[in-house]
Amino acid sequence: MTTKSNKTVLSIKDLTVNFDTPTGTVEAVRGVDIHVEAGETVAIVGESGSGKSQAMMAAMGLLASNGRTGGEVLFEGRNILGLPISELNDIRGAKITMIFQEPMTSLDPLYTIGRQLAEPMVVHGGLSWKAARAKALDLLRLVNIPDPERKIKSYPYEMSGGQRQRVMIAMALANDPDVLIADEPTTALDVTTQAQILDLLADLQKRLGMSVIFITHDLGIVRRIADRVYVMKTGEVVESGETDKIFTLPEHPYTKMLLDAEPTGHKKPVPASAPVLLEAQKVNVEFELSSGWLKPAHILRAVDDISFSLRKGQTLGIVGESGSGKSTLGRAVLNLLPASGRVVFQGQQISGKDRASMRGLRKHMQLIFQDPFGSLSPRMTVGQIISEGLLVHEPSLTAKDRDARACQALEEVSLDPATRNRYPHEFSGGQRQRIAIARAMVLKPQLVVLDEPTSALDRTIQKQVVELLRELQRAHGLTYLFISHDLAVVRALSDTVMVMQRGKVVEAGTTDEIFEAPKSGYTKELIAAAMLTQRQMMETA
């Protein structure tokens, strides 16, 4: 909790956000009132599609071109809603800054971290590039980035998810803002990195005296950091108040439902006689990282001598902190990046095959990404996105047949086929993840690698997606490689679990063995961190 004053720095009054779409107007935010006092932390919570992020995007003047706003957004008494871009740019990036939910899509892959940190200080702060770079180094130290002298020369893809999020925080703090809007800044992070980021934000807020608006679906985080809470549902605030009151005496049924949501259940194990679909033997992945001019390159072994097998219909859960190598392993077994070792799919060795040789197998091996917004083309409709793979793998189909298959895939993931002519930005995060699942399922694969498919989703939507994945697995006999840092979801979905740290497997076994009797100290730490959040929630019930 923070020390706050009675001075209101940001006041949102009767805010509305509408989007014009080919199928009509979508009301995303309807008459929302929110106020933020100096030095306090306000949390805005709700399911995907509740309007919480769109409300703040509207306040910052960052809506898509088909968005329309109404109402007032008063910053220090001045209405900034609808200001010309030139005037608005004097405020956003300087007085009000925002940390976005998806750092990989917010950071430019073509520029170094140092360039991207320095630019807002040059544009908004009037610093020279030399002075901005020096301050960028200080900011990297402030947010506890290891080896900042080397990291400032790195590109976003060379950093882990937790490190990229720290860079986004550093960027937001570059010009000493009065208000920091944090849009799901810990959603895609493992429990230990999440705790570090929360502690970092709390420390920075105390030192800099700024106000924080924390947008999240994770009520455990809200309980820990927020002074006040606004609960949003279908574009409206349905309940608000002091954090302790919201958690101990919730009044609205929707708030009570959010507090009770948690993925549950236990997967029925596959029979020992089920055929082995995928086998990995001694897989290694190395990256050569630049160490600077005239210095030898640094070799990072991201995946170190890993072996496992997957039977048809089985789910292997892979857990570990950001940077542990779990996503790299998933791509390596799909032959999407160079690796040594041996990978066998359906009895056929695929490791080392070139792109042309892999094409015939791709429809049977699909990948669902952690970041659905970044993996869905903003220039294509949902129908085009889902049916795109059919153009490559089933070219004999007519346009009508492809459209029918896209409609069928949308129905299978519980989305209305009538929405197929809309674009990705017109959907919520949970809906975009269902679209990503539909894009994979339309090809009728046998193996699906799911890379953090629920990490960016609120608990209620997570529960729905878990049930959806279970049903699809039962209906089609799918085999899953499920990569996640969310132990509750992994426990609900997996037959077996593999725990990774720094590229190595530290422990592996059945789901019950890992969760009920972990042997590794690292595994015990992960489970203890996850259980801490659950205990905090239970103590407020």
Side-chain angles (χ1 to χ4, degrees), residues 125-137:
L127 297 183
S128 67
W129 282 103
K130 182 178 180 180
R133 188 186 184 282
K135 187 173 180 181
L137 262 177

mmCIF file with all atom_site columns, all heavy atoms in Angstrom, residues 125-137:
data_model
loop_
_atom_site.group_PDB
_atom_site.id
_atom_site.type_symbol
_atom_site.label_atom_id
_atom_site.label_alt_id
_atom_site.label_comp_id
_atom_site.label_asym_id
_atom_site.label_entity_id
_atom_site.label_seq_id
_atom_site.pdbx_PDB_ins_code
_atom_site.Cartn_x
_atom_site.Cartn_y
_atom_site.Cartn_z
_atom_site.occupancy
_atom_site.B_iso_or_equiv
_atom_site.pdbx_formal_charge
_atom_site.auth_seq_id
_atom_site.auth_comp_id
_atom_site.auth_asym_id
_atom_site.auth_atom_id
_atom_site.pdbx_PDB_model_num
ATOM 1  N N   . GLY A 1 125 ? 12.112 14.878 -23.232 1.00 0.00 ? 125 GLY A N   1
ATOM 2  C CA  . GLY A 1 125 ? 12.921 15.526 -22.199 1.00 0.00 ? 125 GLY A CA  1
ATOM 3  C C   . GLY A 1 125 ? 13.942 16.510 -22.715 1.00 0.00 ? 125 GLY A C   1
ATOM 4  O O   . GLY A 1 125 ? 14.570 17.218 -21.931 1.00 0.00 ? 125 GLY A O   1
ATOM 5  N N   . GLY A 1 126 ? 14.136 16.539 -24.053 1.00 0.00 ? 126 GLY A N   1
ATOM 6  C CA  . GLY A 1 126 ? 15.070 17.487 -24.626 1.00 0.00 ? 126 GLY A CA  1
ATOM 7  C C   . GLY A 1 126 ? 16.536 17.174 -24.385 1.00 0.00 ? 126 GLY A C   1
ATOM 8  O O   . GLY A 1 126 ? 17.397 18.035 -24.552 1.00 0.00 ? 126 GLY A O   1
ATOM 9  N N   . LEU A 1 127 ? 16.845 15.921 -24.002 1.00 0.00 ? 127 LEU A N   1
ATOM 10 C CA  . LEU A 1 127 ? 18.247 15.561 -23.761 1.00 0.00 ? 127 LEU A CA  1
ATOM 11 C C   . LEU A 1 127 ? 18.969 15.275 -25.074 1.00 0.00 ? 127 LEU A C   1
ATOM 12 O O   . LEU A 1 127 ? 18.349 14.926 -26.073 1.00 0.00 ? 127 LEU A O   1
ATOM 13 C CB  . LEU A 1 127 ? 18.319 14.316 -22.866 1.00 0.00 ? 127 LEU A CB  1
ATOM 14 C CG  . LEU A 1 127 ? 17.748 14.403 -21.448 1.00 0.00 ? 127 LEU A CG  1
ATOM 15 C CD1 . LEU A 1 127 ? 17.998 13.085 -20.704 1.00 0.00 ? 127 LEU A CD1 1
ATOM 16 C CD2 . LEU A 1 127 ? 18.366 15.559 -20.675 1.00 0.00 ? 127 LEU A CD2 1
ATOM 17 N N   . SER A 1 128 ? 20.282 15.397 -25.040 1.00 0.00 ? 128 SER A N   1
ATOM 18 C CA  . SER A 1 128 ? 21.076 14.957 -26.178 1.00 0.00 ? 128 SER A CA  1
ATOM 19 C C   . SER A 1 128 ? 21.105 13.433 -26.170 1.00 0.00 ? 128 SER A C   1
ATOM 20 O O   . SER A 1 128 ? 20.837 12.792 -25.144 1.00 0.00 ? 128 SER A O   1
ATOM 21 C CB  . SER A 1 128 ? 22.499 15.508 -26.077 1.00 0.00 ? 128 SER A CB  1
ATOM 22 O OG  . SER A 1 128 ? 23.171 14.922 -24.970 1.00 0.00 ? 128 SER A OG  1
ATOM 23 N N   . TRP A 1 129 ? 21.473 12.836 -27.317 1.00 0.00 ? 129 TRP A N   1
ATOM 24 C CA  . TRP A 1 129 ? 21.538 11.376 -27.382 1.00 0.00 ? 129 TRP A CA  1
ATOM 25 C C   . TRP A 1 129 ? 22.572 10.836 -26.398 1.00 0.00 ? 129 TRP A C   1
ATOM 26 O O   . TRP A 1 129 ? 22.363 9.779  -25.777 1.00 0.00 ? 129 TRP A O   1
ATOM 27 C CB  . TRP A 1 129 ? 21.851 10.907 -28.800 1.00 0.00 ? 129 TRP A CB  1
ATOM 28 C CG  . TRP A 1 129 ? 20.651 10.947 -29.701 1.00 0.00 ? 129 TRP A CG  1
ATOM 29 C CD1 . TRP A 1 129 ? 20.369 11.875 -30.652 1.00 0.00 ? 129 TRP A CD1 1
ATOM 30 C CD2 . TRP A 1 129 ? 19.561 10.012 -29.717 1.00 0.00 ? 129 TRP A CD2 1
ATOM 31 N NE1 . TRP A 1 129 ? 19.173 11.589 -31.259 1.00 0.00 ? 129 TRP A NE1 1
ATOM 32 C CE2 . TRP A 1 129 ? 18.662 10.448 -30.717 1.00 0.00 ? 129 TRP A CE2 1
ATOM 33 C CE3 . TRP A 1 129 ? 19.273 8.868  -28.988 1.00 0.00 ? 129 TRP A CE3 1
ATOM 34 C CZ2 . TRP A 1 129 ? 17.472 9.771  -30.992 1.00 0.00 ? 129 TRP A CZ2 1
ATOM 35 C CZ3 . TRP A 1 129 ? 18.091 8.186  -29.259 1.00 0.00 ? 129 TRP A CZ3 1
ATOM 36 C CH2 . TRP A 1 129 ? 17.199 8.632  -30.250 1.00 0.00 ? 129 TRP A CH2 1
ATOM 37 N N   . LYS A 1 130 ? 23.677 11.555 -26.225 1.00 0.00 ? 130 LYS A N   1
ATOM 38 C CA  . LYS A 1 130 ? 24.722 11.103 -25.304 1.00 0.00 ? 130 LYS A CA  1
ATOM 39 C C   . LYS A 1 130 ? 24.207 11.118 -23.865 1.00 0.00 ? 130 LYS A C   1
ATOM 40 O O   . LYS A 1 130 ? 24.398 10.144 -23.105 1.00 0.00 ? 130 LYS A O   1
ATOM 41 C CB  . LYS A 1 130 ? 25.952 11.996 -25.435 1.00 0.00 ? 130 LYS A CB  1
ATOM 42 C CG  . LYS A 1 130 ? 27.116 11.565 -24.555 1.00 0.00 ? 130 LYS A CG  1
ATOM 43 C CD  . LYS A 1 130 ? 28.340 12.462 -24.774 1.00 0.00 ? 130 LYS A CD  1
ATOM 44 C CE  . LYS A 1 130 ? 29.502 12.014 -23.872 1.00 0.00 ? 130 LYS A CE  1
ATOM 45 N NZ  . LYS A 1 130 ? 30.701 12.883 -24.068 1.00 0.00 ? 130 LYS A NZ  1
ATOM 46 N N   . ALA A 1 131 ? 23.534 12.192 -23.488 1.00 0.00 ? 131 ALA A N   1
ATOM 47 C CA  . ALA A 1 131 ? 23.003 12.292 -22.129 1.00 0.00 ? 131 ALA A CA  1
ATOM 48 C C   . ALA A 1 131 ? 21.878 11.281 -21.903 1.00 0.00 ? 131 ALA A C   1
ATOM 49 O O   . ALA A 1 131 ? 21.757 10.695 -20.823 1.00 0.00 ? 131 ALA A O   1
ATOM 50 C CB  . ALA A 1 131 ? 22.499 13.711 -21.870 1.00 0.00 ? 131 ALA A CB  1
ATOM 51 N N   . ALA A 1 132 ? 21.070 11.082 -22.947 1.00 0.00 ? 132 ALA A N   1
ATOM 52 C CA  . ALA A 1 132 ? 19.963 10.127 -22.841 1.00 0.00 ? 132 ALA A CA  1
ATOM 53 C C   . ALA A 1 132 ? 20.487 8.707  -22.669 1.00 0.00 ? 132 ALA A C   1
ATOM 54 O O   . ALA A 1 132 ? 19.924 7.911  -21.901 1.00 0.00 ? 132 ALA A O   1
ATOM 55 C CB  . ALA A 1 132 ? 19.069 10.211 -24.079 1.00 0.00 ? 132 ALA A CB  1
ATOM 56 N N   . ARG A 1 133 ? 21.563 8.371  -23.374 1.00 0.00 ? 133 ARG A N   1
ATOM 57 C CA  . ARG A 1 133 ? 22.134 7.031  -23.230 1.00 0.00 ? 133 ARG A CA  1
ATOM 58 C C   . ARG A 1 133 ? 22.679 6.818  -21.818 1.00 0.00 ? 133 ARG A C   1
ATOM 59 O O   . ARG A 1 133 ? 22.514 5.735  -21.239 1.00 0.00 ? 133 ARG A O   1
ATOM 60 C CB  . ARG A 1 133 ? 23.249 6.812  -24.249 1.00 0.00 ? 133 ARG A CB  1
ATOM 61 C CG  . ARG A 1 133 ? 23.756 5.371  -24.272 1.00 0.00 ? 133 ARG A CG  1
ATOM 62 C CD  . ARG A 1 133 ? 24.956 5.205  -25.184 1.00 0.00 ? 133 ARG A CD  1
ATOM 63 N NE  . ARG A 1 133 ? 25.364 3.802  -25.259 1.00 0.00 ? 133 ARG A NE  1
ATOM 64 C CZ  . ARG A 1 133 ? 26.068 3.179  -24.300 1.00 0.00 ? 133 ARG A CZ  1
ATOM 65 N NH1 . ARG A 1 133 ? 26.429 3.836  -23.212 1.00 0.00 ? 133 ARG A NH1 1
ATOM 66 N NH2 . ARG A 1 133 ? 26.396 1.891  -24.442 1.00 0.00 ? 133 ARG A NH2 1
ATOM 67 N N   . ALA A 1 134 ? 23.306 7.843  -21.250 1.00 0.00 ? 134 ALA A N   1
ATOM 68 C CA  . ALA A 1 134 ? 23.826 7.737  -19.884 1.00 0.00 ? 134 ALA A CA  1
ATOM 69 C C   . ALA A 1 134 ? 22.683 7.517  -18.893 1.00 0.00 ? 134 ALA A C   1
ATOM 70 O O   . ALA A 1 134 ? 22.783 6.691  -17.971 1.00 0.00 ? 134 ALA A O   1
ATOM 71 C CB  . ALA A 1 134 ? 24.616 8.992  -19.529 1.00 0.00 ? 134 ALA A CB  1
ATOM 72 N N   . LYS A 1 135 ? 21.578 8.246  -19.110 1.00 0.00 ? 135 LYS A N   1
ATOM 73 C CA  . LYS A 1 135 ? 20.436 8.068  -18.224 1.00 0.00 ? 135 LYS A CA  1
ATOM 74 C C   . LYS A 1 135 ? 19.778 6.705  -18.452 1.00 0.00 ? 135 LYS A C   1
ATOM 75 O O   . LYS A 1 135 ? 19.267 6.093  -17.520 1.00 0.00 ? 135 LYS A O   1
ATOM 76 C CB  . LYS A 1 135 ? 19.408 9.184  -18.434 1.00 0.00 ? 135 LYS A CB  1
ATOM 77 C CG  . LYS A 1 135 ? 18.286 9.146  -17.411 1.00 0.00 ? 135 LYS A CG  1
ATOM 78 C CD  . LYS A 1 135 ? 17.354 10.342 -17.487 1.00 0.00 ? 135 LYS A CD  1
ATOM 79 C CE  . LYS A 1 135 ? 16.253 10.233 -16.438 1.00 0.00 ? 135 LYS A CE  1
ATOM 80 N NZ  . LYS A 1 135 ? 15.302 11.365 -16.504 1.00 0.00 ? 135 LYS A NZ  1
ATOM 81 N N   . ALA A 1 136 ? 19.800 6.215  -19.708 1.00 0.00 ? 136 ALA A N   1
ATOM 82 C CA  . ALA A 1 136 ? 19.253 4.890  -20.004 1.00 0.00 ? 136 ALA A CA  1
ATOM 83 C C   . ALA A 1 136 ? 19.990 3.816  -19.202 1.00 0.00 ? 136 ALA A C   1
ATOM 84 O O   . ALA A 1 136 ? 19.372 2.881  -18.678 1.00 0.00 ? 136 ALA A O   1
ATOM 85 C CB  . ALA A 1 136 ? 19.339 4.599  -21.501 1.00 0.00 ? 136 ALA A CB  1
ATOM 86 N N   . LEU A 1 137 ? 21.317 3.953  -19.111 1.00 0.00 ? 137 LEU A N   1
ATOM 87 C CA  . LEU A 1 137 ? 22.105 3.015  -18.297 1.00 0.00 ? 137 LEU A CA  1
ATOM 88 C C   . LEU A 1 137 ? 21.680 3.078  -16.836 1.00 0.00 ? 137 LEU A C   1
ATOM 89 O O   . LEU A 1 137 ? 21.533 2.049  -16.170 1.00 0.00 ? 137 LEU A O   1
ATOM 90 C CB  . LEU A 1 137 ? 23.591 3.341  -18.421 1.00 0.00 ? 137 LEU A CB  1
ATOM 91 C CG  . LEU A 1 137 ? 24.419 2.529  -19.413 1.00 0.00 ? 137 LEU A CG  1
ATOM 92 C CD1 . LEU A 1 137 ? 25.848 3.058  -19.454 1.00 0.00 ? 137 LEU A CD1 1
ATOM 93 C CD2 . LEU A 1 137 ? 24.395 1.051  -19.070 1.00 0.00 ? 137 LEU A CD2 1
#
